[in-house]
PDB file of all heavy atoms in Angstrom:
ATOM      1  N   TYR H   1       0.777  -1.144   0.004  1.00 67.00           N
ATOM      2  CA  TYR H   1       0.013  -0.004   0.024  1.00 67.00           C
ATOM      3  C   TYR H   1       0.893   1.267   0.003  1.00 67.00           C
ATOM      4  O   TYR H   1       0.541   2.273  -0.623  1.00 67.00           O
ATOM      5  CB  TYR H   1      -0.920   0.012   1.265  1.00 67.00           C
ATOM      6  CG  TYR H   1      -2.093  -0.840   1.185  1.00 67.00           C
ATOM      7  CD1 TYR H   1      -2.263  -2.055   1.861  1.00 67.00           C
ATOM      8  CD2 TYR H   1      -3.135  -0.602   0.125  1.00 67.00           C
ATOM      9  CE1 TYR H   1      -3.469  -2.832   1.731  1.00 67.00           C
ATOM     10  CE2 TYR H   1      -4.319  -1.354   0.069  1.00 67.00           C
ATOM     11  CZ  TYR H   1      -4.374  -2.552   0.871  1.00 67.00           C
ATOM     12  OH  TYR H   1      -5.531  -3.361   0.683  1.00 67.00           O
ATOM     13  N   THR H   2       1.990   1.199   0.718  1.00 71.00           N
ATOM     14  CA  THR H   2       2.809   2.406   0.776  1.00 71.00           C
ATOM     15  C   THR H   2       3.443   2.614  -0.541  1.00 71.00           C
ATOM     16  O   THR H   2       3.540   3.913  -0.978  1.00 71.00           O
ATOM     17  CB  THR H   2       4.033   2.166   1.757  1.00 71.00           C
ATOM     18  OG1 THR H   2       3.414   1.821   3.091  1.00 71.00           O
ATOM     19  CG2 THR H   2       4.861   3.312   1.910  1.00 71.00           C
ATOM     20  N   LEU H   3       3.938   1.652  -1.246  1.00 65.00           N
ATOM     21  CA  LEU H   3       4.508   1.801  -2.612  1.00 65.00           C
ATOM     22  C   LEU H   3       3.476   2.293  -3.562  1.00 65.00           C
ATOM     23  O   LEU H   3       3.764   3.223  -4.300  1.00 65.00           O
ATOM     24  CB  LEU H   3       5.034   0.483  -3.116  1.00 65.00           C
ATOM     25  CG  LEU H   3       5.785   0.342  -4.397  1.00 65.00           C
ATOM     26  CD1 LEU H   3       6.938   1.230  -4.404  1.00 65.00           C
ATOM     27  CD2 LEU H   3       6.202  -1.047  -4.842  1.00 65.00           C
ATOM     28  N   PHE H   4       2.301   1.809  -3.440  1.00 63.00           N
ATOM     29  CA  PHE H   4       1.257   2.270  -4.350  1.00 63.00           C
ATOM     30  C   PHE H   4       0.803   3.608  -4.006  1.00 63.00           C
ATOM     31  O   PHE H   4       0.700   4.435  -5.008  1.00 63.00           O
ATOM     32  CB  PHE H   4      -0.012   1.343  -4.127  1.00 63.00           C
ATOM     33  CG  PHE H   4      -1.139   1.653  -4.941  1.00 63.00           C
ATOM     34  CD1 PHE H   4      -1.143   1.535  -6.374  1.00 63.00           C
ATOM     35  CD2 PHE H   4      -2.262   2.317  -4.440  1.00 63.00           C
ATOM     36  CE1 PHE H   4      -2.296   1.751  -7.155  1.00 63.00           C
ATOM     37  CE2 PHE H   4      -3.320   2.608  -5.272  1.00 63.00           C
ATOM     38  CZ  PHE H   4      -3.354   2.395  -6.635  1.00 63.00           C
ATOM     39  N   GLY H   5       0.710   4.025  -2.766  1.00 70.00           N
ATOM     40  CA  GLY H   5       0.396   5.401  -2.378  1.00 70.00           C
ATOM     41  C   GLY H   5       1.497   6.405  -2.821  1.00 70.00           C
ATOM     42  O   GLY H   5       1.246   7.606  -3.231  1.00 70.00           O
ATOM     43  N   GLY H   6       2.753   5.854  -2.784  1.00 70.00           N
ATOM     44  CA  GLY H   6       3.891   6.687  -3.254  1.00 70.00           C
ATOM     45  C   GLY H   6       3.797   7.097  -4.716  1.00 70.00           C
ATOM     46  O   GLY H   6       4.090   8.310  -5.123  1.00 70.00           O
ATOM     47  N   LEU H   7       3.349   6.149  -5.474  1.00 66.00           N
ATOM     48  CA  LEU H   7       3.175   6.431  -6.918  1.00 66.00           C
ATOM     49  C   LEU H   7       2.125   7.579  -7.149  1.00 66.00           C
ATOM     50  O   LEU H   7       2.343   8.453  -7.869  1.00 66.00           O
ATOM     51  CB  LEU H   7       2.746   5.227  -7.635  1.00 66.00           C
ATOM     52  CG  LEU H   7       2.132   5.370  -9.023  1.00 66.00           C
ATOM     53  CD1 LEU H   7       3.239   5.884 -10.045  1.00 66.00           C
ATOM     54  CD2 LEU H   7       1.442   4.140  -9.526  1.00 66.00           C
ATOM     55  N   LEU H   8       0.933   7.436  -6.477  1.00 68.00           N
ATOM     56  CA  LEU H   8      -0.019   8.518  -6.634  1.00 68.00           C
ATOM     57  C   LEU H   8       0.430   9.883  -6.067  1.00 68.00           C
ATOM     58  O   LEU H   8       0.129  10.862  -6.711  1.00 68.00           O
ATOM     59  CB  LEU H   8      -1.373   8.070  -5.889  1.00 68.00           C
ATOM     60  CG  LEU H   8      -1.984   6.790  -6.412  1.00 68.00           C
ATOM     61  CD1 LEU H   8      -3.285   6.544  -5.689  1.00 68.00           C
ATOM     62  CD2 LEU H   8      -2.320   6.811  -7.842  1.00 68.00           C
ATOM     63  N   GLY H   9       1.190   9.757  -4.999  1.00 72.00           N
ATOM     64  CA  GLY H   9       1.712  11.003  -4.458  1.00 72.00           C
ATOM     65  C   GLY H   9       2.680  11.659  -5.302  1.00 72.00           C
ATOM     66  O   GLY H   9       2.639  12.904  -5.482  1.00 72.00           O
ATOM     67  N   VAL H  10       3.650  11.033  -5.895  1.00 72.00           N
ATOM     68  CA  VAL H  10       4.605  11.603  -6.835  1.00 72.00           C
ATOM     69  C   VAL H  10       3.853  12.207  -8.100  1.00 72.00           C
ATOM     70  O   VAL H  10       4.223  13.298  -8.487  1.00 72.00           O
ATOM     71  CB  VAL H  10       5.641  10.566  -7.346  1.00 72.00           C
ATOM     72  CG1 VAL H  10       6.420  11.070  -8.457  1.00 72.00           C
ATOM     73  CG2 VAL H  10       6.529  10.208  -6.201  1.00 72.00           C
ATOM     74  N   SER H  11       2.893  11.533  -8.560  1.00 67.00           N
ATOM     75  CA  SER H  11       2.067  12.043  -9.679  1.00 67.00           C
ATOM     76  C   SER H  11       1.517  13.364  -9.305  1.00 67.00           C
ATOM     77  O   SER H  11       1.433  14.291 -10.142  1.00 67.00           O
ATOM     78  CB  SER H  11       1.083  10.966 -10.209  1.00 67.00           C
ATOM     79  OG  SER H  11       1.694   9.805 -10.676  1.00 67.00           O
ATOM     80  N   LEU H  12       0.839  13.465  -8.224  1.00 68.00           N
ATOM     81  CA  LEU H  12       0.191  14.767  -7.813  1.00 68.00           C
ATOM     82  C   LEU H  12       1.252  15.799  -7.607  1.00 68.00           C
ATOM     83  O   LEU H  12       1.000  16.970  -8.039  1.00 68.00           O
ATOM     84  CB  LEU H  12      -0.515  14.420  -6.448  1.00 68.00           C
ATOM     85  CG  LEU H  12      -1.964  13.737  -6.613  1.00 68.00           C
ATOM     86  CD1 LEU H  12      -2.489  13.397  -5.236  1.00 68.00           C
ATOM     87  CD2 LEU H  12      -2.922  14.693  -7.383  1.00 68.00           C
ATOM     88  N   LEU H  13       2.317  15.408  -7.074  1.00 75.00           N
ATOM     89  CA  LEU H  13       3.380  16.544  -6.745  1.00 75.00           C
ATOM     90  C   LEU H  13       3.854  17.120  -8.137  1.00 75.00           C
ATOM     91  O   LEU H  13       4.232  18.334  -8.176  1.00 75.00           O
ATOM     92  CB  LEU H  13       4.553  15.901  -5.941  1.00 75.00           C
ATOM     93  CG  LEU H  13       4.329  15.661  -4.538  1.00 75.00           C
ATOM     94  CD1 LEU H  13       5.472  14.909  -3.878  1.00 75.00           C
ATOM     95  CD2 LEU H  13       3.942  16.999  -3.756  1.00 75.00           C
ATOM     96  N   ILE H  14       4.073  16.269  -9.099  1.00 70.00           N
ATOM     97  CA  ILE H  14       4.451  16.691 -10.439  1.00 70.00           C
ATOM     98  C   ILE H  14       3.481  17.743 -11.054  1.00 70.00           C
ATOM     99  O   ILE H  14       3.776  18.868 -11.515  1.00 70.00           O
ATOM    100  CB  ILE H  14       4.751  15.534 -11.357  1.00 70.00           C
ATOM    101  CG1 ILE H  14       6.025  14.799 -10.869  1.00 70.00           C
ATOM    102  CG2 ILE H  14       4.949  16.050 -12.839  1.00 70.00           C
ATOM    103  CD1 ILE H  14       6.203  13.539 -11.721  1.00 70.00           C
ATOM    104  N   GLY H  15       2.173  17.306 -10.891  1.00 66.00           N
ATOM    105  CA  GLY H  15       1.097  18.170 -11.427  1.00 66.00           C
ATOM    106  C   GLY H  15       1.156  19.518 -10.607  1.00 66.00           C
ATOM    107  O   GLY H  15       0.906  20.654 -11.301  1.00 66.00           O
ATOM    108  N   ILE H  16       1.279  19.423  -9.296  1.00 70.00           N
ATOM    109  CA  ILE H  16       1.363  20.694  -8.539  1.00 70.00           C
ATOM    110  C   ILE H  16       2.453  21.618  -8.908  1.00 70.00           C
ATOM    111  O   ILE H  16       2.430  22.850  -9.064  1.00 70.00           O
ATOM    112  CB  ILE H  16       1.351  20.339  -7.066  1.00 70.00           C
ATOM    113  CG1 ILE H  16       0.016  19.692  -6.615  1.00 70.00           C
ATOM    114  CG2 ILE H  16       1.652  21.591  -6.186  1.00 70.00           C
ATOM    115  CD1 ILE H  16       0.054  19.133  -5.229  1.00 70.00           C
ATOM    116  N   TYR H  17       3.728  20.980  -9.099  1.00 70.00           N
ATOM    117  CA  TYR H  17       4.929  21.757  -9.490  1.00 70.00           C
ATOM    118  C   TYR H  17       4.634  22.425 -10.762  1.00 70.00           C
ATOM    119  O   TYR H  17       4.974  23.689 -10.806  1.00 70.00           O
ATOM    120  CB  TYR H  17       6.017  20.732  -9.584  1.00 70.00           C
ATOM    121  CG  TYR H  17       7.306  21.417 -10.199  1.00 70.00           C
ATOM    122  CD1 TYR H  17       8.102  22.229  -9.356  1.00 70.00           C
ATOM    123  CD2 TYR H  17       7.684  21.305 -11.499  1.00 70.00           C
ATOM    124  CE1 TYR H  17       9.246  22.803  -9.898  1.00 70.00           C
ATOM    125  CE2 TYR H  17       8.757  21.990 -12.063  1.00 70.00           C
ATOM    126  CZ  TYR H  17       9.561  22.663 -11.281  1.00 70.00           C
ATOM    127  OH  TYR H  17      10.680  23.384 -11.737  1.00 70.00           O
ATOM    128  N   PHE H  18       4.318  21.808 -11.806  1.00 65.00           N
ATOM    129  CA  PHE H  18       4.146  22.427 -13.109  1.00 65.00           C
ATOM    130  C   PHE H  18       2.951  23.465 -13.095  1.00 65.00           C
ATOM    131  O   PHE H  18       2.858  24.327 -13.833  1.00 65.00           O
ATOM    132  CB  PHE H  18       3.892  21.446 -14.218  1.00 65.00           C
ATOM    133  CG  PHE H  18       5.197  20.740 -14.683  1.00 65.00           C
ATOM    134  CD1 PHE H  18       5.388  19.440 -14.308  1.00 65.00           C
ATOM    135  CD2 PHE H  18       6.162  21.396 -15.334  1.00 65.00           C
ATOM    136  CE1 PHE H  18       6.573  18.834 -14.756  1.00 65.00           C
ATOM    137  CE2 PHE H  18       7.342  20.821 -15.785  1.00 65.00           C
ATOM    138  CZ  PHE H  18       7.556  19.568 -15.419  1.00 65.00           C
ATOM    139  N   GLY H  19       1.928  23.175 -12.216  1.00 61.00           N
ATOM    140  CA  GLY H  19       0.870  24.049 -12.096  1.00 61.00           C
ATOM    141  C   GLY H  19       1.190  25.386 -11.434  1.00 61.00           C
ATOM    142  O   GLY H  19       0.759  26.437 -11.897  1.00 61.00           O
ATOM    143  N   PHE H  20       2.210  25.418 -10.552  1.00 64.00           N
ATOM    144  CA  PHE H  20       2.525  26.613  -9.812  1.00 64.00           C
ATOM    145  C   PHE H  20       3.828  27.239 -10.277  1.00 64.00           C
ATOM    146  O   PHE H  20       4.046  28.348 -10.305  1.00 64.00           O
ATOM    147  CB  PHE H  20       2.713  26.402  -8.321  1.00 64.00           C
ATOM    148  CG  PHE H  20       1.294  26.195  -7.647  1.00 64.00           C
ATOM    149  CD1 PHE H  20       0.749  24.965  -7.311  1.00 64.00           C
ATOM    150  CD2 PHE H  20       0.556  27.378  -7.205  1.00 64.00           C
ATOM    151  CE1 PHE H  20      -0.421  24.836  -6.717  1.00 64.00           C
ATOM    152  CE2 PHE H  20      -0.729  27.222  -6.703  1.00 64.00           C
ATOM    153  CZ  PHE H  20      -1.231  25.905  -6.402  1.00 64.00           C
ATOM    154  N   PHE H  21       4.801  26.385 -10.768  1.00 61.00           N
ATOM    155  CA  PHE H  21       6.122  26.824 -11.125  1.00 61.00           C
ATOM    156  C   PHE H  21       6.411  26.869 -12.659  1.00 61.00           C
ATOM    157  O   PHE H  21       7.432  27.262 -13.019  1.00 61.00           O
ATOM    158  CB  PHE H  21       7.228  26.119 -10.477  1.00 61.00           C
ATOM    159  CG  PHE H  21       7.084  26.166  -8.890  1.00 61.00           C
ATOM    160  CD1 PHE H  21       6.422  25.217  -8.211  1.00 61.00           C
ATOM    161  CD2 PHE H  21       7.410  27.356  -8.201  1.00 61.00           C
ATOM    162  CE1 PHE H  21       6.416  25.224  -6.861  1.00 61.00           C
ATOM    163  CE2 PHE H  21       7.309  27.429  -6.874  1.00 61.00           C
ATOM    164  CZ  PHE H  21       6.803  26.441  -6.123  1.00 61.00           C
ATOM    165  N   SER H  22       5.415  26.555 -13.511  1.00 60.00           N
ATOM    166  CA  SER H  22       5.570  26.577 -14.854  1.00 60.00           C
ATOM    167  C   SER H  22       4.374  27.230 -15.549  1.00 60.00           C
ATOM    168  O   SER H  22       3.238  26.853 -15.121  1.00 60.00           O
ATOM    169  CB  SER H  22       5.645  25.064 -15.545  1.00 60.00           C
ATOM    170  OG  SER H  22       5.814  25.193 -16.936  1.00 60.00           O
ATOM    171  N   LYS H  23       4.582  28.139 -16.375  1.00 57.00           N
ATOM    172  CA  LYS H  23       3.544  28.930 -17.016  1.00 57.00           C
ATOM    173  C   LYS H  23       2.546  28.005 -17.729  1.00 57.00           C
ATOM    174  O   LYS H  23       2.924  27.291 -18.627  1.00 57.00           O
ATOM    175  CB  LYS H  23       4.145  29.912 -17.979  1.00 57.00           C
ATOM    176  CG  LYS H  23       3.073  30.887 -18.563  1.00 57.00           C
ATOM    177  CD  LYS H  23       3.744  32.044 -19.416  1.00 57.00           C
ATOM    178  CE  LYS H  23       4.645  31.410 -20.503  1.00 57.00           C
ATOM    179  NZ  LYS H  23       5.196  32.443 -21.397  1.00 57.00           N
ATOM    180  N   GLN H  24       1.320  28.028 -17.311  1.00 54.00           N
ATOM    181  CA  GLN H  24       0.239  27.345 -18.001  1.00 54.00           C
ATOM    182  C   GLN H  24      -0.950  28.263 -18.281  1.00 54.00           C
ATOM    183  O   GLN H  24      -2.135  27.886 -18.135  1.00 54.00           O
ATOM    184  CB  GLN H  24      -0.260  26.223 -17.012  1.00 54.00           C
ATOM    185  CG  GLN H  24       0.731  25.284 -16.644  1.00 54.00           C
ATOM    186  CD  GLN H  24       1.171  24.385 -17.728  1.00 54.00           C
ATOM    187  OE1 GLN H  24       0.426  24.069 -18.737  1.00 54.00           O
ATOM    188  NE2 GLN H  24       2.444  23.930 -17.777  1.00 54.00           N
ATOM    189  N   ASP H  25      -0.678  29.528 -18.839  1.00 53.00           N
ATOM    190  CA  ASP H  25      -1.628  30.479 -18.920  1.00 53.00           C
ATOM    191  C   ASP H  25      -2.062  30.753 -20.444  1.00 53.00           C
ATOM    192  O   ASP H  25      -2.443  31.799 -20.803  1.00 53.00           O
ATOM    193  CB  ASP H  25      -1.233  31.775 -18.337  1.00 53.00           C
ATOM    194  CG  ASP H  25       0.094  32.227 -18.862  1.00 53.00           C
ATOM    195  OD1 ASP H  25       0.701  31.614 -19.650  1.00 53.00           O
ATOM    196  OD2 ASP H  25       0.546  33.382 -18.432  1.00 53.00           O
ATOM    197  N   SER H  26      -1.750  29.723 -21.317  1.00 54.00           N
ATOM    198  CA  SER H  26      -2.184  29.858 -22.694  1.00 54.00           C
ATOM    199  C   SER H  26      -2.337  28.482 -23.311  1.00 54.00           C
ATOM    200  O   SER H  26      -1.863  27.427 -22.720  1.00 54.00           O
ATOM    201  CB  SER H  26      -0.981  30.508 -23.515  1.00 54.00           C
ATOM    202  OG  SER H  26       0.106  29.772 -23.591  1.00 54.00           O
ATOM    203  N   ALA H  27      -3.045  28.433 -24.402  1.00 56.00           N
ATOM    204  CA  ALA H  27      -3.368  27.179 -25.030  1.00 56.00           C
ATOM    205  C   ALA H  27      -2.148  26.420 -25.553  1.00 56.00           C
ATOM    206  O   ALA H  27      -1.947  25.239 -25.357  1.00 56.00           O
ATOM    207  CB  ALA H  27      -4.390  27.493 -26.190  1.00 56.00           C
ATOM    208  N   ALA H  28      -1.221  27.212 -26.141  1.00 56.00           N
ATOM    209  CA  ALA H  28       0.066  26.645 -26.679  1.00 56.00           C
ATOM    210  C   ALA H  28       0.899  25.994 -25.494  1.00 56.00           C
ATOM    211  O   ALA H  28       1.482  24.879 -25.672  1.00 56.00           O
ATOM    212  CB  ALA H  28       0.873  27.631 -27.309  1.00 56.00           C
TER     213      ALA H  28
END
């Protein structure tokens, strides 16, 4: 369960990182 939860957690962290620290304010 820990290994499985770690996978989901890493995926979420990547999304959060690019959401806040990479410009996502245009279609391109």
Side-chain angles (χ1 to χ4, degrees):
Y1 282 113
T2 302
L3 184 61
F4 180 73
L7 164 67
L8 298 183
V10 169
S11 299
L12 280 174
L13 287 175
I14 291 174
I16 292 171
Y17 171 79
F18 282 110
F20 284 100
F21 299 103
S22 177
K23 184 173 62 175
Q24 299 292 330
D25 57 358
S26 69

